[in-house]
Amino acid sequence: MPRSVTIAAAAAALMAAVFPSAAHATGSGTPPPGGVSIEIATVNGSGCPMGDPAIALAPGYSSFTLSNVSFTSSTSDQPAERRKNCQINLYFRVPQGYTYAIAGADLGGFASLAKGASGVVRNDYYFQGSATTVPRSVRLVGPYNDAWQMSYDNDLVDLVYAPCGEQRNLNLNTSLQVDRGTSDPASVSTITLGDDLFGGTIVHRLAWKRCPGS
């Protein structure tokens, strides 16, 4: 059984070091009373599964969950295997006068990294047509053979909201990259998104606010 508590604590320490903060945006703001829907528009990337991901909104619109998103990156002889990603384009329908941002996310999986190898998990998002990307990442260093968890809350000042009065699809890009480094060339290191604990799911928490003049 994966030592999820230990790995979660390690990941939290890493994230705290990278993103020190006092004020977080866990489900901040008052969501609209209704009229919110979400659907997957497109799925692209070398790591996207054969079957389409599924998506579900939480009650009260506090978060949404992507499922069936599981893939592996490895120090294979094939360079394309060393970095895998899956970008999911989402169509949000939001009532007039409201806007939203990604407040945080939870994802996890399993990593097997030889001594001298390392890996990076990234979870980025941006709105279609915007030059602003919100990147979040965590680095794992071998030797490592256990579950990993990446859980973060964006600072209130760092929230990037969808433009009011415009329909901009939301792009979510999750990637895994493994670097052989100084590890034994005969060894194979891997990072997998999704395992028995997480089941290939990514939870994104939402922050809401009213648009100016509404």
Side-chain angles (χ1 to χ4, degrees), residues 67-212:
S67 56
N68 191 30
V69 185
S70 182
F71 55 94
T72 299
S73 177
S74 71
T75 53
S76 164
D77 292 334
Q78 302 295 325
E81 296 296 315
R82 298 171 195 168
R83 182 185 182 278
K84 293 289 187 74
N85 81 295
C86 186
Q87 179 164 298
I88 300 175
N89 181 279
L90 301 177
Y91 176 76
F92 258 89
R93 186 176 288 105
V94 177
Q96 186 174 0
Y98 285 88
T99 184
Y100 69 94
I102 298 296
D106 300 299
L107 58 157
F110 194 89
S112 178
L113 301 173
K115 182 179 179 180
S118 62
V120 176
V121 180
R122 287 180 61 96
N123 192 52
D124 307 340
Y125 81 90
Y126 66 95
F127 291 101
Q128 196 167 26
S130 172
T132 303
T133 299
V134 182
R136 293 292 180 260
S137 64
V138 63
R139 185 170 184 261
L140 303 173
V141 178
Y144 190 107
N145 188 48
D146 214 324
W148 60 266
Q149 180 178 350
M150 180 179 176
S151 182
Y152 64 87
D153 293 311
N154 292 322
D155 294 345
L156 288 170
V157 295
D158 292 334
L159 292 179
V160 176
Y161 285 88
C164 286
E166 300 181 31
Q167 178 56 53
R168 299 282 189 91
N169 283 16
L170 174 66
N171 285 294
L172 303 173
N173 189 21
T174 304
S175 65
L176 308 175
Q177 183 169 339
V178 183
D179 183 359
R180 187 184 298 278
T182 59
S183 63
D184 185 342
S187 65
V188 177
S189 295
T190 63
I191 297 181
T192 297
L193 173 64
D195 61 2
D196 292 340
L197 179 63
F198 291 93
T201 63
I202 305 176
V203 177
H204 288 87
R205 292 180 292 282
L206 294 170
W208 293 94
K209 72 175 183 178
R210 298 299 298 265
C211 292

